[in-house]
């Protein structure tokens, strides 16, 4: 769902750009994946038909617009995306935390986080989300009246915040990191010394990440309903993945404790040198995760406990292998950042924040066209990228928003 990754305190074009360029490229890539994910959900082969705006389950929060023209390939794309892209976003978001805590202290770090994450969350949830979901109101049969929409919106049992949910969770994880640093001041430097060896042995870091995320995810997966979300006002999170996401964020904190461009993220390290080997690992893990998903929705699925354990382990393995595969490719092949890529990276945070408005409205505007799901999905994606990019460039010219974005 991403990436407010510009909230990290160092950009790929700042000091040490040669070593940070791969991470900046990963941030931009993840932002594009988020936009693609939301653009093509409109044409998902199994997107649910539109229902009443307040009729539970309120599925329009995930599918703001549903087009009868579908494309089967988008089902696989969104399934594979969902296996790793948010987790990797949390990992990358954690990479610069140790450096920021050291430079600013806990108080300065949290103040900066409140500005860079808290204010955009309020804007995203309070203004952009209602604007993005207005097409869902129209498609559900709602009158084209802002007053009627506002009344229906405020009568909902929660406040849908759209992709902005990532911001408040990242802010909470930052507070946890600051608390750990305050209580155990030697912990982060110790993690940095330990993860320094990941440059030579990325496999060990991979196995520990898999083990920790399995412990955090599989037990919750067994006791919670499939795809369960906790909804308290505008504060949303996929309940079963909360611990898993925290593990990935703390893994990023540990990997970045001695500086980005060292340890696991060293462009000259073993992960980059053996990048080709890491591209092989995701295939069986993703196939297993897709197979479990298909079996779970078959006419005669196995017992829930079996599905929960096998599905949970398949998700954990697929997530880790895909994340390491992406990191390996960018560490190996990205050495410098050109002008277009620099602009994309500089505007990635704002693109994450604003794109949902454009994917929803483009999906709505394309409904009358008989161009097929594939063509319309590509148009919605390309249009959302360009419009959110240009919008962010304009917003960054404003003093306060420029400081935040």
């Amino acid at each position: 769902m991403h990436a407010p990754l510009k909230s990290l305190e160092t950009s790929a074009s700042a000091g040490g750009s040669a070593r940070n360029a791969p991470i900046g490229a990963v941030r931009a890539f993840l932002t594009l994946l988020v936009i693609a994910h939301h653009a093509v959900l409109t044409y998902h082969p199994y997107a649910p038909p539109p229902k009443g705006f307040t009729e539970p389950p309120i599925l329009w929060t995930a599918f703001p617009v549903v087009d009868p023209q579908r494309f089967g390939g988008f089902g696989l794309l969104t399934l594979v995306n969902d296996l790793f892209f948010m987790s990797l976003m949390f990992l990358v978001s954690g990479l610069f935390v140790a450096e920021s805590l050291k430079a600013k202290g806990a108080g300065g770090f949290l103040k900066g986080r409140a500005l860079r994450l808290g204010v955009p969350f309020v804007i995203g949830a309070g203004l952009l989300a209602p604007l993005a979901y207005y097409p869902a109101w129209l498609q559900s049969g709602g009158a084209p009246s802002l007053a009627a929409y506002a009344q229906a919106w405020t009568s909902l049992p929660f406040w849908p915040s759209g992709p902005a949910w990532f911001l408040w969770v990242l802010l909470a994880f930052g507070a946890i990191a600051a608390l750990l640093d305050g209580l155990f001041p030697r912990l982060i430097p110790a993690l940095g010394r330990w993860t320094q060896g990941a440059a030579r042995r990325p496999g060990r870091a991979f196995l520990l990440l898999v083990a920790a995320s399995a412990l955090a995810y599989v037990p919750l997966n067994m006791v919670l309903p499939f795809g369960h979300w906790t909804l308290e006002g505008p504060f949303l999170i996929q309940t079963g993945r909360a611990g898993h996401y925290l593990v990935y964020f703390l893994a990023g904190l540990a990997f970045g404790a001695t500086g980005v461009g060292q340890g696991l993220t060293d462009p000259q390290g073993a992960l980059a040198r053996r990048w080709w080997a890491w591209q092989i690992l995701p295939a069986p893990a993703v196939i297993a995760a897709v197979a479990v998903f298909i079996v779970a929705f078959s006419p005669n699925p196995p017992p829930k406990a079996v599905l929960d354990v096998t599905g949970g382990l398949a998700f954990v393995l697929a997530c880790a292998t895909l994340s390491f595969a992406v990191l390996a490719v960018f560490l190996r092949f990205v050495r410098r950042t050109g002008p277009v890529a620099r602009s994309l990276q500089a505007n990635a945070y704002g693109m994450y924040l604003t794109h949902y408005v454009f994917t929803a409205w483009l999906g709505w505007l394309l409904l009358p066209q008989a161009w097929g799901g594939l063509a319309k999905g590509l148009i919605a994606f390309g249009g959302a990228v360009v419009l959110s990019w240009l919008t962010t460039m304009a917003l960054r010219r404003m003093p306060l928003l420029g400081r935040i974005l």
Side-chain angles (χ1 to χ4, degrees), residues 27-93:
R27 295 188 302 201
F29 173 69
L30 290 172
T31 302
L32 294 177
L33 281 187
V34 170
I35 299 175
H37 190 90
H38 291 143
V40 305
L41 280 176
T42 298
Y43 313 100
H44 193 286
Y46 301 113
K51 302 174 68 174
F53 194 73
T54 59
E55 184 179 347
I58 304 176
L59 296 176
W60 53 259
T61 56
F63 300 88
V65 178
V66 177
D67 195 310
Q69 299 176 58
R70 313 294 178 92
F71 177 65
F74 290 153
L76 181 60
L77 170 64
T78 54
L79 178 57
V80 174
N81 251 0
D82 188 58
L83 289 173
F84 84 101
F85 71 154
M86 293 308 302
S87 304
L88 184 54
M89 285 172 67
F90 278 113
L91 189 151
V92 173
S93 296

Side-chain angles (χ1 to χ4, degrees), residues 4-237:
L5 304 176
K6 188 61 179 176
S7 63
L8 309 178
E9 302 301 326
T10 304
S11 73
S13 60
S17 60
R19 300 183 72 81
N20 293 352
I23 303 303
V26 171
R27 295 188 302 201
F29 173 69
L30 290 172
T31 302
L32 294 177
L33 281 187
V34 170
I35 299 175
H37 190 90
H38 291 143
V40 305
L41 280 176
T42 298
Y43 313 100
H44 193 286
Y46 301 113
K51 302 174 68 174
F53 194 73
T54 59
E55 184 179 347
I58 304 176
L59 296 176
W60 53 259
T61 56
F63 300 88
V65 178
V66 177
D67 195 310
Q69 299 176 58
R70 313 294 178 92
F71 177 65
F74 290 153
L76 181 60
L77 170 64
T78 54
L79 178 57
V80 174
N81 251 0
D82 188 58
L83 289 173
F84 84 101
F85 71 154
M86 293 308 302
S87 304
L88 184 54
M89 285 172 67
F90 278 113
L91 189 151
V92 173
S93 296
L95 284 174
F96 295 96
V97 168
E99 179 180 310
S100 186
L101 279 169
K102 183 178 180 180
K104 299 181 177 182
F109 171 77
L110 290 176
K111 182 179 178 181
R113 285 267 158 159
L115 177 66
R116 291 178 180 272
L117 297 173
V119 172
F121 172 72
V122 172
I123 296 173
L127 175 63
L128 298 179
L131 181 59
Y133 284 124
Y134 189 66
W137 161 256
L138 296 176
Q139 192 171 36
S140 69
S145 161
L146 292 180
Y149 176 56
Q151 182 178 4
W153 181 275
T154 53
S155 68
L156 293 169
F158 65 102
W159 185 287
S161 56
W165 71 268
F166 178 71
L167 304 182
W168 84 262
V169 176
L170 191 56
L171 180 59
F173 287 174
I176 292 173
L179 179 62
L180 289 174
D181 188 51
L183 294 175
F184 310 102
R186 298 181 179 179
L187 175 61
I188 293 179
L191 288 173
R193 290 190 296 271
W194 182 84
T195 57
Q196 188 76 20
R200 301 184 307 273
R201 299 177 179 177
R204 184 173 68 170
F206 169 81
L207 291 175
L208 285 173
L209 179 61
V210 169
S213 60
L215 289 174
Y217 178 74
V218 175
L220 277 177
N221 190 51
M222 296 181 68
V223 298
L224 291 170
F226 175 77
H228 183 268
W229 284 72
T230 296
L231 313 171
E232 293 294 338
F235 301 102
L236 284 66
I237 187 170

Side-chain angles (χ1 to χ4, degrees), residues 28 31 99 103 110 138 149 153 155 166 225 252 263 267 270 274 317 327 330 336 350 355 359 362-363 401:
T31 302
E99 179 180 310
L110 290 176
L138 296 176
Y149 176 56
W153 181 275
S155 68
F166 178 71
R274 300 189 181 96
L317 284 170
L327 287 172
F330 282 90
R336 58 181 57 88
H355 78 275
T359 56
L362 285 170
L401 290 178

